[in-house]
Amino acid sequence: TKIMYGLILAGGSGTRFWPVSREQSPKQLQQFFGSGTMIQNTVQRLLPLISIENLYVGTHQQQALETLRQLDSFAFSPNHLLAEPCNKNTALAIGLMAKIVEKKDSNAIMAIFPADHVVSNAKKFSQTLKKAEVLAQKGFLVTLGIPPTRSETGFGYLKQGLELEGSEDTYRVDRFEEKPDLSKAKKYLEQGTYFWNCGIFVWKASTILRELQQHAPDIHSQLETLMGCLQNSSGKLDYLELNEKGCKLFSSLPSISIDYAVMEKSSNVVMIASDIGWNDVGSWSALDEVCEKDFKGNILTGNILAQDCSNSIVHGQNRLIATLGLKDTVVVDTQDALLVCSKERSQDVKKLVESLIEKGCPEGRLPATVKKPWGSYTNLDSGPTYLLKRIEVLPGETLSLQSHKYRSEHWTVASGSAEVELKEKIFHLKANESITIPLNAKHRLGNPGTDLLIIFEIQFGNVLDEKDILRYDDRYGRC
């Protein structure tokens, strides 16, 4: 039997889910409902059809380590993750992956999935993919068309053409339509021959490469060179990345979606009408369709006291949020930022984030808790000459051997055990013990134990900048 390979596209930034989702910790790495994060739920959904050995993930360099950490429990192989130096939409990522898969298996069928969507009808989903596989075998580019349930302006549409003989609910695609305005979207809904384009595709790797060669030669012609630039990252986890030459080339290529590059131009496209309970969960208000609500239509997550509120979404963390008399409102609280908006404007959160980034607000991009390969840190308080941080180091992990030109540091262990290398001496600290790291002293922090290490760090100095790190040795290849 032919083996199906899966490619999960996980490069998106999910700005509409700000402030929970940020550049470094986007929507697909967050848990909004269900038992796992969105990418974990996506993998879980695919495993009955595609084995973990045949799954690949494309993501941004910044998110590579956290993505691998989240997929670790599935025994996902790190060298099946391709970390891109910058975001270039989907055509390039798909082309490069098709090249990798085709080299491994010249008859490979590959299926493409977004990392951050929801499919609630697993059985139908599975049947549809099996049908798509048969069609892909015949050389078709197969896409899934979702029957629309409302006049939606946030999606692209597929116009159904002639039915494909011998395959029910399968049609040629007449044309691809861009995101319509409201009056067009209403017409599409009334006509009943338009379907939502959900970004799930199935084809032979060799077919999509041939189509790219025909319709997007500027991308196709560089794939072989890019393949030659792939290397395993020098750090602890050997995911795939591009060398310096590859990064330059990748960055210079057009940023274009597979829809524009191939699907809209090809005469080989067929669509399976797929009522699979799909939702792209594109904004806070979309949670309405996928989350459980209380009897007044509210979705409440976290430490919430809601009185006389209806049809509202309140999403918090540890801090108490008390709301009174809200209607159709979204409230999202994180450590360093609070969002309050009317539900009908939740699509515009993206524009809000763009304004924050334009104004140079770090909250636009960076989360309060910054994930690192070894754990994470959270800034708790700061003044002109001090900064207080909570640092979490995962069991068995170690920070780089480093020194600081402009600051000294004082560490106190709150829980777990720390191994500190300071000026070539080793110190072992447990809860309630502390140590001072002088200016310019070479030092390293590690967690030799099996429990999470939590320390509080106070930095003192006139310049307190993350860039003030001189690295001498690092197991993650960041020197």
Side-chain angles (χ1 to χ4, degrees), residues 81 87 91 115 126-127 133 136 161 266 287 299 343-344 355 372 396 426 444-445:
L81 180 131
N87 207 329
S126 165
Q127 289 165 347
E133 191 176 6
S266 171
L287 293 182
I299 298 167
K343 234 187 215 179
E344 61 180 11
S355 314
K372 291 297 213 178
I426 300 289
R444 188 199 298 257
L445 171 66

Side-chain angles (χ1 to χ4, degrees), residues 305-322:
L305 173 67
Q307 288 193 342
D308 299 330
C309 296
S310 59
N311 298 322
S312 291
I313 296 171
V314 188
H315 189 98
Q317 294 175 340
N318 303 329
R319 181 162 55 174
L320 170 70
I321 304 179

Side-chain angles (χ1 to χ4, degrees), residues 324-336:
L324 189 57
L326 294 183
K327 273 193 188 84
D328 304 317
T329 304
V330 177
V331 178
V332 184
D333 186 37
T334 62
Q335 227 148 351
D336 62 337

Side-chain angles (χ1 to χ4, degrees), residues 435-452:
I435 191 166
T436 296
I437 312 292
L439 206 67
N440 290 317
K442 272 192 191 181
H443 62 281
R444 188 199 298 257
L445 171 66
N447 177 0
T450 51
D451 295 327
L452 184 69

Side-chain angles (χ1 to χ4, degrees), residues 12 16 41 47 51 63 71 74-75 112 121 132 144 151 155 200 232 245 257 266 269 279 351 368-369 382 385-386 438:
R16 289 187 183 91
N41 294 343
L47 285 182
S51 72
Q63 295 141 21
L71 299 185
F74 297 102
I112 316 289
N121 191 335
L144 306 193
S151 29
F155 305 151
I200 296 175
N232 285 31
K245 176 188 165 192
S257 72
S266 171
V269 181
N279 192 307
K351 293 176 188 158
T369 296
S382 63
T385 57
Y386 73 87

